[in-house]
Structures are given as C-alpha cells and as structure tokens.
Amino acid sequence: QGASLHGLVENTSHAAAHPIFIQYDGNSCLSSFQRCVIDNSHKLIMDVFQTETFFELYDIASDPEETTNLLFEPRYAAEGSRLFSLLLEHMKRTEDELECKEDVFEKFVAHIS
C-alpha cells in the first residue's frame, strides 16, 4: 500500500512526487504524539503533548539539520498553514485517531507572533 522511498534516500536532490506523511505515536500513556508532512523542501512537524500542541517548520534543503524553526518568521506562516491543511486532510482520510482542532495551527502562530 506504499511506495518505496529508497530513491529519495539515495539521491536527495529529487523531491517526492507527492507529500510524505509521518506518524509517530510515541507514548500514548503520556499523550505524546507527532505528525509530520514533507512537501517539496518544507517539513511541518506537529508535536502534541497532553493539552499542548507545538509546530515546527523547516526548509530541509537549506537547513537539513533542522536548526531554524521558520514559523518564528511571519513570512512562512502561509506555507505552514498550507502544510497543516495537507496534514489535516491526510489525518481525516486515514481516520487518524489523534484529535486535532482545525484552528490549532492558527492559534499557535498567533501566540508566537
């Protein structure tokens, strides 16, 4: 049901044809979860810990070590919002059991601005 990503691992100069989604249900006893979407050179990570949600946005082409969270720069909010929409669509389509309110990204960006 999946497609091999081996070619992407071997040759990082080629972007995936479709967004890549990653799900990590680390410690459900502690309510710790992560969801991620990678599209082109941008990667959005949603970290959920109990009642808190934190977002990270990276340009993995220019910042492969993910050292600079671009969401702290207002000009990247629209890209983050686009990726969050893709992530929400994927979560709905796959019937992800993690509850995620549609305004959580907007609230996060407003809080850090």
Side-chain angles (χ1 to χ4, degrees):
Q1 290 187 359
S4 173
L5 299 178
H6 182 76
L8 291 175
V9 172
E10 293 297 319
N11 184 356
T12 58
S13 65
H14 291 56
H18 303 283
I20 298 169
F21 299 94
I22 302 167
Q23 176 175 328
Y24 177 70
D25 294 320
N27 189 336
S28 58
C29 294
L30 295 175
S31 299
S32 175
F33 307 92
Q34 284 186 333
R35 300 296 184 266
C36 174
V37 58
I38 302 169
D39 191 31
N40 298 314
S41 67
H42 287 108
K43 176 179 183 179
L44 180 74
I45 302 167
M46 179 175 71
D47 294 302
V48 179
F49 181 71
Q50 296 179 0
T51 61
E52 298 179 329
T53 303
F54 187 84
F55 289 91
E56 302 169 66
L57 176 67
Y58 300 103
D59 183 334
I60 55 177
S62 64
D63 182 17
E65 299 295 320
E66 300 177 8
T67 60
T68 303
N69 185 350
L70 298 175
L71 287 178
F72 292 106
E73 299 179 33
R75 66 183 179 179
Y76 289 99
E79 178 64 4
S81 181
R82 181 186 78 81
L83 292 173
F84 181 62
S85 293
L86 289 176
L87 188 60
L88 278 181
E89 289 172 19
H90 176 77
M91 291 173 70
K92 288 176 185 175
R93 187 173 54 253
T94 60
E95 299 178 5
D96 192 330
E97 293 182 12
L98 179 64
E99 291 183 28
C100 182
K101 295 183 180 179
E102 294 190 11
D103 65 347
V104 68
F105 179 81
E106 183 179 301
K107 287 181 178 181
F108 176 81
V109 171
H111 178 74
I112 63 169
S113 296

